[in-house]
Amino acid sequence: MTVSTADNTPLNSDDTSQVKPLRYPVICIDGPSGAGKGTVTWRLAQALNYQLLDSGALYRIVGLKAFEAGLITADTNQTIDVTAVLALTQSLEIAFVPNNESGRVDILVNGEAVGEQVRNETVGGYASQIAVFPTVRQALLKLQQDMATRSGLVADGRDMGTVVFPDADVKVYLTANAEARAERRVTQLLNAGQTADFDAILATIKARDERDENRTTAPSKPAEDALLLDSSTLDANTVYEQVKKHCQDQGICFNS
Protein backbone atom coordinates (compact mmCIF):
# COMPACT_ATOMS: atom_id res chain seq x y z
CA MET A 1 0.00 0.00 0.00
CA THR A 2 1.19 3.51 -0.79
CA VAL A 3 1.11 5.76 2.25
CA SER A 4 -0.20 9.28 1.84
CA THR A 5 1.94 12.08 3.22
CA ALA A 6 0.98 15.65 4.00
CA ASP A 7 2.63 16.98 0.84
CA ASN A 8 0.90 14.41 -1.38
CA THR A 9 4.17 12.73 -2.31
CA PRO A 10 4.39 9.04 -3.23
CA LEU A 11 6.67 6.89 -1.11
CA ASN A 12 9.11 4.66 -2.95
CA SER A 13 10.24 1.24 -1.76
CA ASP A 14 13.71 0.93 -0.26
CA ASP A 15 14.22 -2.05 -2.57
CA THR A 16 15.99 -0.55 -5.58
CA SER A 17 16.32 -3.89 -7.33
CA GLN A 18 12.91 -3.39 -8.91
CA VAL A 19 12.11 0.00 -10.37
CA LYS A 20 8.39 0.68 -10.60
CA PRO A 21 6.58 3.76 -11.89
CA LEU A 22 5.70 6.23 -9.16
CA ARG A 23 2.13 5.94 -7.98
CA TYR A 24 0.43 8.44 -5.75
CA PRO A 25 -2.34 7.59 -3.26
CA VAL A 26 -5.60 6.46 -4.87
CA ILE A 27 -9.07 6.51 -3.30
CA CYS A 28 -11.82 4.63 -5.16
CA ILE A 29 -15.49 5.52 -4.66
CA ASP A 30 -17.60 2.96 -6.53
CA GLY A 31 -21.34 2.39 -6.71
CA PRO A 32 -24.46 3.07 -8.80
CA SER A 33 -25.56 6.43 -10.16
CA GLY A 34 -27.35 8.61 -7.62
CA ALA A 35 -25.79 7.07 -4.52
CA GLY A 36 -23.84 10.26 -3.76
CA LYS A 37 -20.44 9.32 -5.20
CA GLY A 38 -19.96 12.63 -6.96
CA THR A 39 -20.44 14.74 -3.84
CA VAL A 40 -18.13 12.73 -1.60
CA THR A 41 -15.52 12.44 -4.37
CA TRP A 42 -15.51 16.22 -4.86
CA ARG A 43 -15.16 16.92 -1.14
CA LEU A 44 -12.33 14.41 -0.72
CA ALA A 45 -10.45 15.81 -3.71
CA GLN A 46 -10.80 19.35 -2.36
CA ALA A 47 -9.76 18.41 1.17
CA LEU A 48 -6.72 16.43 0.02
CA ASN A 49 -5.80 18.54 -3.03
CA TYR A 50 -6.02 15.41 -5.18
CA GLN A 51 -7.08 15.06 -8.79
CA LEU A 52 -10.65 13.95 -9.41
CA LEU A 53 -11.59 11.26 -11.90
CA ASP A 54 -15.23 10.87 -12.87
CA SER A 55 -14.95 7.60 -14.77
CA GLY A 56 -18.69 7.49 -15.40
CA ALA A 57 -18.32 10.76 -17.28
CA LEU A 58 -15.77 9.11 -19.58
CA TYR A 59 -18.34 6.56 -20.68
CA ARG A 60 -21.03 9.22 -20.91
CA ILE A 61 -18.71 11.29 -23.12
CA VAL A 62 -18.14 8.36 -25.46
CA GLY A 63 -21.85 7.57 -25.42
CA LEU A 64 -22.76 11.16 -26.25
CA LYS A 65 -20.23 11.44 -29.06
CA ALA A 66 -21.20 8.01 -30.44
CA PHE A 67 -24.82 9.14 -30.52
CA GLU A 68 -23.93 12.43 -32.21
CA ALA A 69 -21.94 10.46 -34.79
CA GLY A 70 -24.92 8.16 -35.45
CA LEU A 71 -23.14 5.09 -34.09
CA ILE A 72 -25.76 4.36 -31.42
CA THR A 73 -29.41 5.27 -30.86
CA ALA A 74 -31.89 5.04 -28.00
CA ASP A 75 -32.78 1.56 -29.29
CA THR A 76 -30.76 -0.80 -27.12
CA ASN A 77 -31.53 -3.70 -29.48
CA GLN A 78 -29.66 -2.18 -32.41
CA THR A 79 -26.39 -3.61 -33.69
CA ILE A 80 -23.45 -1.37 -32.79
CA ASP A 81 -20.29 -1.03 -34.87
CA VAL A 82 -17.78 -1.56 -32.07
CA THR A 83 -14.78 -0.80 -34.30
CA ALA A 84 -16.20 2.61 -35.16
CA VAL A 85 -16.99 3.36 -31.50
CA LEU A 86 -13.42 2.37 -30.55
CA ALA A 87 -11.93 4.66 -33.21
CA LEU A 88 -14.11 7.51 -31.99
CA THR A 89 -13.05 6.85 -28.39
CA GLN A 90 -9.37 6.98 -29.28
CA SER A 91 -9.83 10.31 -31.07
CA LEU A 92 -11.27 12.20 -28.10
CA GLU A 93 -9.30 14.69 -26.00
CA ILE A 94 -10.89 14.80 -22.54
CA ALA A 95 -10.15 17.11 -19.62
CA PHE A 96 -11.66 17.45 -16.12
CA VAL A 97 -11.31 21.00 -14.81
CA PRO A 98 -12.36 21.70 -11.18
CA ASN A 99 -14.72 24.67 -10.84
CA ASN A 100 -14.62 26.01 -7.29
CA GLU A 101 -17.50 28.42 -7.90
CA SER A 102 -19.98 25.72 -8.92
CA GLY A 103 -18.52 22.97 -6.77
CA ARG A 104 -18.48 20.72 -9.80
CA VAL A 105 -16.01 19.55 -12.41
CA ASP A 106 -16.20 21.14 -15.83
CA ILE A 107 -15.85 18.53 -18.57
CA LEU A 108 -14.12 19.49 -21.81
CA VAL A 109 -14.09 17.27 -24.89
CA ASN A 110 -11.88 18.45 -27.74
CA GLY A 111 -11.95 21.87 -26.06
CA GLU A 112 -15.75 22.01 -25.87
CA ALA A 113 -17.67 22.12 -22.59
CA VAL A 114 -20.11 19.20 -22.46
CA GLY A 115 -20.87 18.97 -18.75
CA GLU A 116 -24.61 19.64 -18.93
CA GLN A 117 -25.09 17.29 -21.88
CA VAL A 118 -23.06 14.51 -20.27
CA ARG A 119 -25.14 14.63 -17.07
CA ASN A 120 -28.39 14.13 -19.00
CA GLU A 121 -30.26 10.94 -18.04
CA THR A 122 -30.59 9.89 -21.69
CA VAL A 123 -26.82 10.09 -22.14
CA GLY A 124 -26.46 7.85 -19.11
CA GLY A 125 -28.27 5.20 -21.12
CA TYR A 126 -25.90 5.68 -24.06
CA ALA A 127 -22.96 5.25 -21.67
CA SER A 128 -24.34 1.97 -20.42
CA GLN A 129 -24.65 0.71 -24.01
CA ILE A 130 -21.02 1.31 -24.91
CA ALA A 131 -19.60 0.31 -21.51
CA VAL A 132 -20.26 -3.35 -22.26
CA PHE A 133 -17.57 -3.47 -24.97
CA PRO A 134 -14.16 -4.71 -23.70
CA THR A 135 -12.22 -2.85 -26.40
CA VAL A 136 -13.79 0.48 -25.48
CA ARG A 137 -13.15 -0.15 -21.79
CA GLN A 138 -9.52 -1.04 -22.55
CA ALA A 139 -9.08 2.17 -24.54
CA LEU A 140 -10.14 4.19 -21.49
CA LEU A 141 -8.32 2.05 -18.93
CA LYS A 142 -4.79 3.38 -19.51
CA LEU A 143 -6.04 6.97 -19.54
CA GLN A 144 -7.49 6.46 -16.07
CA GLN A 145 -4.49 4.60 -14.67
CA ASP A 146 -2.09 7.26 -15.97
CA MET A 147 -3.82 9.84 -13.76
CA ALA A 148 -2.41 8.08 -10.68
CA THR A 149 1.15 8.80 -11.85
CA ARG A 150 0.68 12.58 -11.66
CA SER A 151 -0.82 13.26 -8.23
CA GLY A 152 -3.10 11.82 -5.58
CA LEU A 153 -6.39 10.72 -7.09
CA VAL A 154 -10.00 10.26 -6.02
CA ALA A 155 -11.71 8.05 -8.60
CA ASP A 156 -15.50 7.88 -8.91
CA GLY A 157 -16.97 4.95 -10.85
CA ARG A 158 -18.31 1.43 -10.85
CA ASP A 159 -15.17 -0.68 -11.29
CA MET A 160 -12.45 1.62 -9.97
CA GLY A 161 -11.56 -0.65 -7.04
CA THR A 162 -12.08 -3.94 -8.85
CA VAL A 163 -10.54 -3.34 -12.29
CA VAL A 164 -8.90 0.05 -12.78
CA PHE A 165 -7.10 0.42 -9.43
CA PRO A 166 -7.22 -3.00 -7.74
CA ASP A 167 -4.32 -1.95 -5.48
CA ALA A 168 -5.91 1.35 -4.43
CA ASP A 169 -5.14 2.63 -0.94
CA VAL A 170 -8.83 3.08 -0.10
CA LYS A 171 -11.91 1.46 -1.60
CA VAL A 172 -15.50 2.43 -0.85
CA TYR A 173 -18.67 1.02 -2.39
CA LEU A 174 -21.44 3.59 -1.92
CA THR A 175 -24.96 2.46 -2.75
CA ALA A 176 -28.62 3.39 -2.14
CA ASN A 177 -31.91 1.83 -3.11
CA ALA A 178 -33.35 2.72 -6.51
CA GLU A 179 -36.25 4.71 -5.05
CA ALA A 180 -33.95 6.96 -3.02
CA ARG A 181 -31.76 7.57 -6.04
CA ALA A 182 -34.76 8.39 -8.22
CA GLU A 183 -36.04 10.88 -5.62
CA ARG A 184 -32.64 12.58 -5.56
CA ARG A 185 -32.58 12.84 -9.33
CA VAL A 186 -36.09 14.33 -9.38
CA THR A 187 -35.05 16.93 -6.81
CA GLN A 188 -31.91 17.73 -8.79
CA LEU A 189 -33.88 18.25 -12.00
CA LEU A 190 -36.60 20.34 -10.34
CA ASN A 191 -33.97 22.55 -8.68
CA ALA A 192 -32.46 23.08 -12.12
CA GLY A 193 -35.84 24.23 -13.44
CA GLN A 194 -36.46 21.07 -15.45
CA THR A 195 -39.41 18.71 -15.45
CA ALA A 196 -39.05 15.29 -13.84
CA ASP A 197 -41.10 12.09 -14.04
CA PHE A 198 -40.36 9.94 -10.99
CA ASP A 199 -41.68 6.70 -12.50
CA ALA A 200 -39.72 7.15 -15.74
CA ILE A 201 -36.52 8.00 -13.86
CA LEU A 202 -36.98 5.02 -11.54
CA ALA A 203 -37.45 2.69 -14.51
CA THR A 204 -34.32 4.07 -16.16
CA ILE A 205 -32.28 3.59 -12.99
CA LYS A 206 -33.46 0.02 -12.54
CA ALA A 207 -32.75 -0.84 -16.18
CA ARG A 208 -29.26 0.64 -15.96
CA ASP A 209 -28.55 -1.20 -12.71
CA GLU A 210 -29.55 -4.45 -14.42
CA ARG A 211 -27.17 -3.83 -17.32
CA ASP A 212 -24.27 -2.66 -15.16
CA GLU A 213 -24.53 -5.45 -12.60
CA ASN A 214 -24.92 -8.27 -15.11
CA ARG A 215 -22.53 -7.32 -17.91
CA THR A 216 -19.79 -9.89 -18.52
CA THR A 217 -17.02 -7.28 -18.56
CA ALA A 218 -16.26 -5.46 -15.29
CA PRO A 219 -19.72 -5.68 -13.72
CA SER A 220 -20.61 -3.14 -11.07
CA LYS A 221 -19.86 -4.76 -7.71
CA PRO A 222 -17.93 -3.95 -4.54
CA ALA A 223 -14.29 -4.95 -4.22
CA GLU A 224 -13.71 -7.59 -1.56
CA ASP A 225 -11.78 -5.10 0.58
CA ALA A 226 -14.14 -2.15 0.09
CA LEU A 227 -16.08 -0.33 2.78
CA LEU A 228 -19.78 -0.93 2.03
CA LEU A 229 -21.93 2.12 2.76
CA ASP A 230 -25.68 2.48 2.08
CA SER A 231 -26.63 6.15 1.73
CA SER A 232 -30.39 5.61 1.29
CA THR A 233 -31.19 7.35 4.58
CA LEU A 234 -27.98 9.36 5.07
CA ASP A 235 -27.31 12.99 4.20
CA ALA A 236 -24.26 14.02 2.19
CA ASN A 237 -22.31 15.31 5.19
CA THR A 238 -22.76 12.05 7.12
CA VAL A 239 -21.59 10.05 4.12
CA TYR A 240 -18.52 12.27 3.74
CA GLU A 241 -17.56 12.02 7.41
CA GLN A 242 -17.84 8.22 7.38
CA VAL A 243 -15.76 7.94 4.21
CA LYS A 244 -13.20 10.44 5.55
CA LYS A 245 -12.80 8.40 8.74
CA HIS A 246 -12.29 5.23 6.69
CA CYS A 247 -9.62 7.02 4.63
CA GLN A 248 -7.84 8.10 7.81
CA ASP A 249 -8.01 4.56 9.15
CA GLN A 250 -6.24 3.42 5.96
CA GLY A 251 -3.40 5.96 6.39
CA ILE A 252 -4.63 8.90 4.29
CA CYS A 253 -3.62 12.17 5.98
CA PHE A 254 -5.98 15.15 6.06
CA ASN A 255 -4.68 18.58 6.99
CA SER A 256 -7.96 19.45 8.70
Side-chain angles (χ1 to χ4, degrees):
M1 173 181 289
T2 301
V3 179
S4 176
T5 60
D7 63 357
N8 192 22
T9 301
L11 300 184
N12 296 322
S13 169
D14 291 334
D15 180 5
T16 58
S17 62
Q18 293 182 343
V19 178
K20 296 181 180 180
L22 293 179
R23 183 178 74 70
Y24 289 80
V26 175
I27 300 171
C28 295
I29 310 293
D30 285 317
S33 176
K37 303 192 308 295
T39 300
V40 71
T41 297
W42 171 267
R43 290 187 64 178
L44 288 171
Q46 291 293 94
L48 293 164
N49 194 29
Y50 283 9
Q51 287 186 94
L52 186 154
L53 167 60
D54 182 351
S55 70
L58 293 177
Y59 291 97
R60 284 173 174 258
I61 289 166
V62 176
L64 172 65
K65 293 304 178 180
F67 174 77
E68 291 178 348
L71 300 177
I72 63 174
T73 70
D75 180 8
T76 57
N77 295 316
Q78 71 160 346
T79 300
I80 298 175
D81 184 342
V82 182
T83 301
V85 173
L86 176 60
L88 172 71
T89 302
Q90 294 170 329
S91 73
L92 301 176
E93 294 184 7
I94 302 169
F96 296 96
V97 182
N99 186 324
N100 291 326
E101 291 185 4
S102 67
R104 303 181 77 173
V105 176
D106 294 335
I107 302 171
L108 304 180
V109 180
N110 298 336
E112 176 190 1
V114 298
E116 292 307 313
Q117 295 168 278
V118 166
R119 295 183 180 98
N120 182 282
E121 280 297 310
T122 301
V123 174
Y126 299 155
S128 194
Q129 285 189 56
I130 61 93
V132 302
F133 299 120
T135 53
V136 175
R137 301 189 72 86
Q138 188 63 35
L140 293 172
L141 180 62
K142 187 174 186 300
L143 181 153
Q144 296 173 85
Q145 292 175 331
D146 282 350
M147 293 184 71
T149 66
R150 298 196 292 271
S151 80
L153 180 67
V154 187
D156 166 345
R158 285 173 173 74
D159 63 353
M160 296 296 96
T162 55
V163 176
V164 182
F165 300 107
D167 60 345
D169 301 82
V170 178
K171 300 176 186 178
V172 176
Y173 192 85
L174 183 61
T175 189
N177 63 54
E179 289 73 18
R181 289 185 281 138
E183 289 176 0
R184 292 169 186 171
R185 182 57 177 163
V186 167
T187 300
Q188 184 182 44
L189 291 171
L190 292 178
N191 288 341
Q194 302 179 40
T195 59
D197 183 327
F198 175 84
D199 291 335
I201 290 173
L202 179 60
T204 298
I205 287 174
K206 288 183 175 180
R208 185 175 183 188
D209 286 351
E210 175 71 18
R211 287 195 300 271
D212 291 345
E213 293 170 6
N214 293 289
R215 65 192 181 211
T216 56
T217 301
S220 178
K221 64 178 182 180
E224 292 183 359
D225 53 346
L227 169 71
L228 303 181
L229 185 58
D230 189 325
S231 71
S232 299
T233 60
L234 303 178
D235 61 31
N237 193 58
T238 300
V239 170
Y240 172 73
E241 291 299 330
Q242 290 193 26
V243 174
K244 177 181 176 181
K245 181 180 184 304
H246 181 62
C247 290
Q248 291 172 321
D249 290 343
Q250 300 304 309
I252 301 294
C253 299
F254 288 74
N255 292 326
S256 60

